[in-house]
Amino acid sequence: PLSGCLPMVIQIPVFFALYKVLVLAIDMRHEPFILWIKDLSAPDPAHILNLFGLLPFEVPAGFLAIGPLAVLLGITMWLTIRLNPSAMDPVQKQMFAIMPWMLMFVMAPFAAGLLLY
């Protein structure tokens, strides 16, 4: 039974360490990465409400503060779940259908480097 959770158990400390490094590392702050991402330790500056950075509008952190990295996270999680075999009960199937889109909203205000990971 643990074999299904073992990859997550290995990944959780890496995920937590990456989060702490991105939040607390001083030498990574305000260092450009690629394209519109100027700071990996800050949330994604491009959002749906400012047309992904095209409008000079600072979006307050909230429910609709979803940037292209969060959308990419939701799409890649959905594709990963679709690649898994579909032999599961209906409740689990419904949870796997909702989880990528729910996590897209939950992870949107986190650091851009964490969303890239």
Side-chain angles (χ1 to χ4, degrees), residues 2-69:
L2 185 62
S3 66
C5 297
L6 189 60
M8 285 190 295
V9 169
I10 294 170
Q11 190 176 9
I12 286 173
V14 174
F15 191 68
F16 183 72
L18 185 63
Y19 174 74
K20 283 297 185 184
V21 165
L22 289 171
V23 168
L24 299 176
I26 295 172
D27 47 350
M28 290 183 66
R29 291 193 186 270
H30 307 296
E31 291 294 320
F33 185 60
I34 57 170
L35 301 176
W36 73 95
I37 305 171
K38 303 291 185 233
D39 189 2
L40 285 176
S41 64
D44 191 7
H47 299 286
I48 290 175
L49 294 177
N50 67 1
L51 294 178
F52 298 110
L54 295 176
L55 296 175
F57 172 64
E58 188 67 31
V59 178
F63 183 69
L64 289 176
I66 297 175
L69 291 178

Side-chain angles (χ1 to χ4, degrees), residues 45-104:
H47 299 286
I48 290 175
L49 294 177
N50 67 1
L51 294 178
F52 298 110
L54 295 176
L55 296 175
F57 172 64
E58 188 67 31
V59 178
F63 183 69
L64 289 176
I66 297 175
L69 291 178
V71 172
L72 185 67
L73 170 84
I75 291 171
T76 55
M77 276 188 70
W78 179 77
L79 287 174
T80 303
I81 289 173
R82 296 283 296 170
L83 289 174
N84 288 336
S86 175
M88 58 182 102
D89 62 336
V91 174
Q92 189 177 15
K93 194 172 190 173
Q94 186 177 12
M95 276 297 294
F96 279 172
I98 295 171
M99 192 170 60
W101 311 117
M102 187 177 68
L103 278 177
M104 181 176 71

Side-chain angles (χ1 to χ4, degrees), residues 13 90 105 108:
F105 287 100

